[in-house]
Amino acid sequence: MPALTEPRWLDADQQRSWRALLRGSAKLFEDLNHDLERDSGLSLNEYEVLVRLSEADGRTMRMSALAADLVHSRSRLTHTIRRMESDGLVERSTCAMDRRGVNCTMTLAGFARLEAAAPHHVESVRERLVDRITPAQMRELGVIMAVLAEDAGSGESAPDGRDADARSERIAS
Amino acid sequence: MPALTEPRWLDADQQRSWRALLRGSAKLFEDLNHDLERDSGLSLNEYEVLVRLSEADGRTMRMSALAADLVHSRSRLTHTIRRMESDGLVERSTCAMDRRGVNCTMTLAGFARLEAAAPHHVESVRERLVDRITPAQMRELGVIMAVLAEDAGSGESAPDGRDADARSERIAS
């Protein structure tokens, strides 16, 4: 716990934005999850795993790379993958190059499940997100979130943050 | 499952924004959770429960109102509250007005825990969010998320959406 001087409390505007972010993102992901479960029997996490694998060489990724890509803890991903494996959507195997590594491969059934789910999911993403805000807001949301997706403390985050600001100025003007 | 015509796939810009939102929000909430656990032994969910209760009359809310406020399912909230109760941060009791209702009250220990956590948490929110984007982006993020926090299908969401668009035009110009 670092020693603190007087806390820099958020002002009223910042507080309102921060609470809107908590509530808006919770509602968005809750609703998208609900739609996906209803239409396709998948959680949003499971869907995102299938998307990543569908784009990978041999429809296979290292578990560690998958966890990093999805910003999931290793234990959370393992839990998700175990459920998907018992549903026959993915298979795990020891990595041939590195016996400590574990690969995750999408099955044909997994690919078919993703193909069937995708048209419904894109409608859900439009209804819950894209169609509710302006095109300029959608772009700006992407710019802001790309900044937040960077590692805060890394040497790369500052230049990227400046790029994002520059892009956002162009969009806003 | 509704009948679908040709799916309205996202274009490349929309796809990029949507993926940034998935990744940026996952990373933000993962990092905030990590900081809170480290500094105060609370999850972000637990912290938000304490904030809501601290602002309520008698530091007490109906479980149903708390769930709606936090956009949590009732079962997820019950899980969180059970853990907080065993830590002595909150207490549940039957609602005097309506025997089917359950009230949740913050204890003095809960309030002290929130007071101790708040200065660290606000620094974390600044470091992970507020200080990484411009003030204009912070405002615009709030405007966008306020739209997403509304119920999509309700009669109220359309006028609010238009208000938000109008506000955002002013901010962007």
Side-chain angles (χ1 to χ4, degrees):
Chain A
M1 219 182 274
L4 288 168
T5 52
E6 184 59 24
R8 299 182 299 146
W9 301 115
L10 301 186
D11 67 29
D13 273 0
Q14 291 168 332
Q15 181 73 19
R16 200 175 310 120
S17 289
W18 164 233
R19 292 221 177 174
L21 173 58
L22 280 169
R23 190 177 169 80
S25 60
K27 178 148 177 55
L28 173 64
F29 292 120
E30 184 91 0
D31 288 345
L32 291 172
N33 243 312
H34 169 269
D35 292 350
L36 251 175
E37 296 272 8
R38 179 199 59 201
D39 296 335
S40 313
L42 293 168
S43 71
L44 189 56
N45 286 340
E46 291 171 331
Y47 186 88
E48 287 302 314
V49 166
L50 293 178
V51 168
R52 292 305 180 293
L53 292 175
S54 75
E55 294 168 349
D57 282 347
R59 295 181 184 164
T60 297
M61 286 177 78
R62 290 284 286 264
M63 287 286 283
S64 52
L66 203 44
D69 233 39
L70 296 166
V71 201
H72 286 188
S73 67
R74 186 64 190 259
S75 67
R76 184 170 157 212
L77 180 66
T78 301
H79 182 77
T80 302
I81 293 294
R82 197 172 291 144
R83 202 174 43 229
M84 294 176 75
E85 202 170 24
S86 75
D87 286 348
L89 304 179
V90 299
E91 282 169 0
R92 281 177 294 183
S93 59
T94 305
C95 180
M97 313 283 281
D98 169 6
R99 311 283 308 169
R100 288 162 309 174
V102 175
N103 279 333
C104 183
T105 302
M106 182 181 221
T107 63
L108 287 175
F111 193 79
R113 188 74 165 272
L114 176 63
E115 273 195 320
H120 300 281
H121 181 55
V122 73
E123 280 300 320
S124 166
V125 171
R126 285 192 175 275
E127 181 191 335
R128 306 293 191 177
L129 173 65
V130 181
D131 292 349
R132 300 186 68 191
I133 60 180
T134 67
Q137 286 177 323
M138 185 69 187
R139 278 192 299 275
E140 180 66 0
L141 183 61
V143 169
I144 293 168
M145 287 293 163
V147 175
L148 301 183
E150 293 292 320
D151 279 323
S154 81
E156 292 89 64
S157 71
D160 284 3
R162 279 197 294 274
D163 283 357
D165 282 355
R167 273 200 304 278
S168 110
E169 292 305 319
R170 282 199 299 275
I171 288 168
S173 61
Chain B
M1 218 180 273
L4 288 168
T5 52
E6 183 61 23
R8 298 181 301 146
W9 301 114
L10 302 185
D11 67 29
D13 274 359
Q14 292 168 331
Q15 181 73 17
R16 201 176 310 118
S17 289
W18 164 234
R19 291 222 177 174
L21 172 59
L22 279 170
R23 191 176 167 80
S25 59
K27 178 147 177 57
L28 174 64
F29 292 118
E30 184 92 0
D31 287 347
L32 291 172
N33 243 314
H34 170 268
D35 292 350
L36 251 175
E37 295 272 8
R38 179 198 60 201
D39 296 336
S40 312
L42 293 168
S43 71
L44 189 55
N45 286 339
E46 291 171 331
Y47 186 89
E48 287 304 313
V49 166
L50 293 178
V51 168
R52 293 304 182 293
L53 291 175
S54 75
E55 295 169 348
D57 282 347
R59 295 180 184 164
T60 298
M61 286 178 78
R62 290 284 287 264
M63 287 286 283
S64 51
L66 203 45
D69 233 39
L70 296 166
V71 201
H72 287 187
S73 67
R74 186 63 190 260
S75 67
R76 182 168 158 214
L77 180 66
T78 300
H79 182 78
T80 303
I81 294 294
R82 196 171 291 146
R83 201 173 46 227
M84 295 176 76
E85 202 170 24
S86 75
D87 285 349
L89 305 178
V90 299
E91 282 169 359
R92 279 178 294 182
S93 59
T94 305
C95 180
M97 315 280 281
D98 170 5
R99 313 279 312 167
R100 288 164 308 175
V102 176
N103 279 333
C104 183
T105 302
M106 181 182 221
T107 63
L108 287 174
F111 192 78
R113 188 72 166 275
L114 177 62
E115 273 195 319
H120 301 281
H121 181 55
V122 72
E123 279 301 319
S124 167
V125 171
R126 283 193 176 277
E127 180 190 335
R128 305 294 191 177
L129 173 66
V130 182
D131 292 349
R132 299 185 71 192
I133 60 180
T134 68
Q137 286 177 322
M138 185 68 187
R139 278 192 300 275
E140 180 65 359
L141 183 60
V143 169
I144 293 167
M145 287 294 164
V147 176
L148 302 183
E150 294 291 321
D151 278 323
S154 83
E156 291 88 62
S157 71
D160 284 3
R162 281 197 293 274
D163 283 358
D165 283 355
R167 274 200 305 279
S168 111
E169 292 304 320
R170 282 199 298 277
I171 288 167
S173 61

